[in-house]
Amino acid sequence: MARAEVTVEPLDLAGHEAAVADRRAGAVVSFQGVVRDHDHGRSVTALEYEGHPSATEVLRQVAAEVAADPDVYAVAVSHRIGPLAIGDVALVAAVSTAHRAAAFAACARLVDEVKARLPIWKRQVFADGAEEWVNCP
């Protein structure tokens, strides 16, 4: 089972963990990517994510690929777009498997693939008023 969503709504870690619940699972590993107040030594005051129209389909493909691993029972992943405040959650991922090592590996693979492939770009505004776009093609 794979669930994937790109949304402007706040993300819910507990909801993602519940979505991957499985009676066979001995491990559920989850991850939250949280907006921090700094980047490369510079103070960040605001952040905005913008997604390509294909972002949802790409996220679903990544989730399906990780869920296809025979050790994985279920995957749930969401990425938020729009303006986010410091401390907001931008990415949530959860994976269930029979054993913890497989769950940690699958969740790490899921997050790494999302970061590498998802066409979502981040605009950061710094305390000095400067801004930059990150992960733009």
Side-chain angles (χ1 to χ4, degrees), residues 62-80:
V62 170
E65 289 169 14
V66 173
D69 181 326
D71 289 336
V72 173
Y73 297 141
V75 170
V77 60
S78 297
H79 201 297
R80 192 166 167 198

Side-chain angles (χ1 to χ4, degrees), residues 11 32 46 56 61 84 87:
L11 302 179
Q32 291 188 106
T56 298
Q61 289 171 357
L84 279 76

